[in-house]
Amino acid sequence: MIPNVETVVDDLILAKPTDETFMRLALREAERAALEDEVPIGAVLVHAGRVIGRGHNQRETLRDPTAHAEMIVLTQGAAALDAWRLIDTTLYVTLEPCPMCAGALVAARVTRLVFGAMDPKAGACGTLFDLARDPRLNHRIEVVSGVLANESTALLQEFFRTKRGRESRDE
């Protein structure tokens, strides 16, 4: 069997993993979302240096309000580890998680969260709320923000600029 180019590239990238490396994979997922006319948010879940889940927003495609990139990746990660506790995992996501996703990360016991852009309207990991580090909850997550934030923000801005342009032409 001949490996596809993406697998070979991912194997090369993962030979020297860094937060930026994995965030670039999440950005690739966000680009896929944009191609599907979904809000361009991508996520990657990593355990022991290996990607065990990757996904992007699919709310429009699946007609599911919970089909955020993070939720999709958590489900994949649980299947890969055959456990709901995602201990010793790091979630990389291009936009700060919303309250639903932050709550799911806490419930899943994700160890570490790395995100790109802050979300001033719905961010629940430091901007509006901080569910990931709330001492009242039974689990806290190490949070690193701003990794490839400019790239993440630019992708979102371009998507919405294009969307607004289409909507004004449709009127």
Side-chain angles (χ1 to χ4, degrees), residues 9 26 31 33 39 42 72 89 99 109 112 122 132-133 139 145 148 163:
V9 170
E31 290 166 355
V39 175
I72 290 165
T89 61
R109 312 297 197 272
R112 192 165 173 260
R133 295 175 284 208
H139 177 73
S145 62
L148 300 182
K163 197 132 186 91

Side-chain angles (χ1 to χ4, degrees), residues 21-169:
T21 303
F22 290 117
M23 187 59 78
R24 289 197 189 287
L25 295 177
L27 279 164
R28 187 183 302 165
E29 287 296 325
E31 290 166 355
R32 287 185 178 128
L35 291 173
E36 296 171 13
D37 205 28
E38 295 276 0
V39 175
I41 300 168
V44 173
L45 186 65
V46 176
H47 179 263
R50 295 190 58 219
V51 174
I52 61 168
R54 64 173 64 216
H56 53 271
N57 271 13
Q58 294 185 45
R59 292 191 314 169
E60 300 297 333
T61 303
L62 299 177
R63 291 176 171 62
D64 179 353
T66 68
H68 290 202
E70 300 94 325
M71 302 298 277
I72 290 165
V73 167
L74 290 177
T75 300
Q76 291 175 359
L81 296 178
D82 195 25
W84 66 266
R85 288 179 188 88
L86 301 178
I87 298 167
D88 296 326
T89 61
T90 299
L91 178 79
Y92 294 87
V93 63
T94 56
L95 183 67
E96 179 181 4
C98 70
M100 174 185 68
C101 293
L105 295 173
V106 170
R109 312 297 197 272
V110 169
T111 303
R112 192 165 173 260
L113 166 67
V114 179
F115 69 86
M118 304 290 276
D119 186 350
K121 294 185 178 181
C125 295
T127 300
L128 292 179
F129 310 101
D130 198 352
L131 294 177
R133 295 175 284 208
D134 191 319
R136 297 170 294 178
L137 299 176
N138 64 336
H139 177 73
R140 277 161 291 296
I141 301 169
E142 176 190 341
V143 177
V144 177
S145 62
V147 176
L148 300 182
N150 291 339
E151 291 89 332
S152 298
T153 300
L155 193 56
L156 286 161
Q157 288 174 338
E158 178 58 28
F159 175 80
F160 287 112
R161 189 173 16 259
T162 301
K163 197 132 186 91
R164 281 190 298 274
R166 270 188 297 200
E167 288 169 3
S168 67
R169 287 192 300 269

